Amino acid sequence: MGQNQFELVIFDCDGVLVDSEPIVNRIFAEMLTEAGFPITYAEVTQKFIGKSLKTCLEIIETSYNKPLPKSFIELNKEREIAALQQELKPVPGITEVLEQITLPKCVASNSSHRHIQMVLKLTGLLHKFDGKIYSANDVSRPKPFPDVYLYAAEQMNTNPEDCAVIEDSVPGVQAASAAGMTVFGYAHHSERTALAEAGAKIVFHDMRQLSQML
């Protein structure tokens, strides 16, 4: 693992930079249950990790065979933002790791620019990426398709095979693998085996190990 193996490090946002998933999943489960679509926190985590909101809502409407209330997305967003502002923390160890990594870095996420900006600002990480933030909304298809990773590499003038990606979800690992990048799977909330099977070259638990691995 030499120092000059990679030319760019691409970070997923939720679950890799900010520990937002437990908060977002809890709110989503509460809101769905209140709206008459009963679901537990565990089910949300298991079924929806790494998927875009649009995909999640389609799955729910299909499995309950009824439409969600029109205002659902907006109300869910409001409550999610309030909870994130109260509770959000950076992923343990990530602040130090971002100081240690000297390679160029950027963010590629399924979330909207508004969400990414907000969570990175709340956790004091926004300045580390200096505008180098790419969202699935910039491309035609979200992860597990490789589009957002290929777009990030292109914007950063780097070949996909020279990119290291840090991901914590199966769809994200699949997306980066399909883009021809080397994936490091951060198994904090998700299964080690699932990340490895999806194509992660190395699976690790502690974000503090990352700078040594790169």
Side-chain angles (χ1 to χ4, degrees):
M1 305 289 282
Q3 274 304 302
N4 29 18
Q5 190 183 357
F6 301 112
E7 287 173 23
L8 174 66
V9 188
I10 309 179
F11 291 88
D12 170 45
C13 177
D14 298 283
V16 168
L17 297 172
V18 300
D19 203 4
S20 52
E21 279 160 350
I23 301 170
V24 168
N25 290 347
R26 186 189 80 227
I27 300 296
F28 197 45
E30 285 170 9
M31 292 286 296
L32 283 170
T33 302
E34 282 170 30
F37 297 77
I39 192 167
T40 65
Y41 170 80
E43 286 171 320
V44 167
T45 306
Q46 191 192 331
K47 286 181 190 161
F48 301 128
I49 188 166
K51 293 190 171 85
S52 67
L53 179 64
K54 188 170 167 287
T55 307
C56 298
L57 298 177
E58 283 165 9
I59 294 170
I60 289 154
E61 292 188 330
T62 308
S63 60
Y64 283 93
N65 202 13
K66 61 176 182 177
L68 279 152
K70 290 269 177 286
S71 58
F72 182 84
I73 293 184
E74 212 166 303
L75 293 172
N76 185 63
K77 196 84 223 142
E78 279 172 23
R79 200 185 290 185
E80 188 181 281
I81 289 170
L84 289 168
Q85 286 172 338
Q86 290 284 299
E87 305 168 42
L88 188 63
K89 301 269 188 297
V91 161
I94 193 68
T95 311
E96 300 81 345
V97 161
L98 291 174
E99 311 245 294
Q100 292 159 358
I101 293 171
T102 52
L103 290 163
K105 45 189 171 292
C106 68
V107 176
S109 167
N110 262 355
S111 296
S112 65
H113 277 283
R114 196 172 141 206
H115 173 87
I116 303 165
Q117 297 274 343
M118 177 186 73
V119 295
L120 293 181
K121 202 174 275 173
L122 284 172
T123 50
L125 300 176
L126 190 59
H127 67 285
K128 305 259 188 226
F129 294 98
D130 188 35
K132 301 181 185 74
I133 292 172
Y134 308 105
S135 156
N137 296 3
D138 302 331
V139 293
S140 52
R141 304 175 300 178
K143 305 173 190 178
F145 295 102
D147 305 26
V148 70
Y149 280 118
L150 293 171
Y151 176 71
E154 189 187 346
Q155 295 298 307
M156 299 288 292
N157 298 317
T158 310
N159 291 324
E161 59 271 22
D162 297 324
C163 299
V165 172
I166 321 306
E167 261 294 350
D168 70 315
S169 75
V170 166
V173 171
Q174 288 168 333
S177 299
M181 301 176 176
T182 303
V183 194
F184 292 80
Y186 176 53
H188 182 48
H189 295 299
S190 54
E191 267 299 293
R192 292 185 72 103
T193 359
L195 295 180
E197 282 167 7
K201 183 182 138 181
I202 289 178
V203 179
F204 67 108
H205 282 309
D206 185 352
M207 193 50 83
R208 292 172 189 86
Q209 303 168 318
L210 183 61
S211 29
Q212 277 74 58
M213 294 191 304
L214 293 169

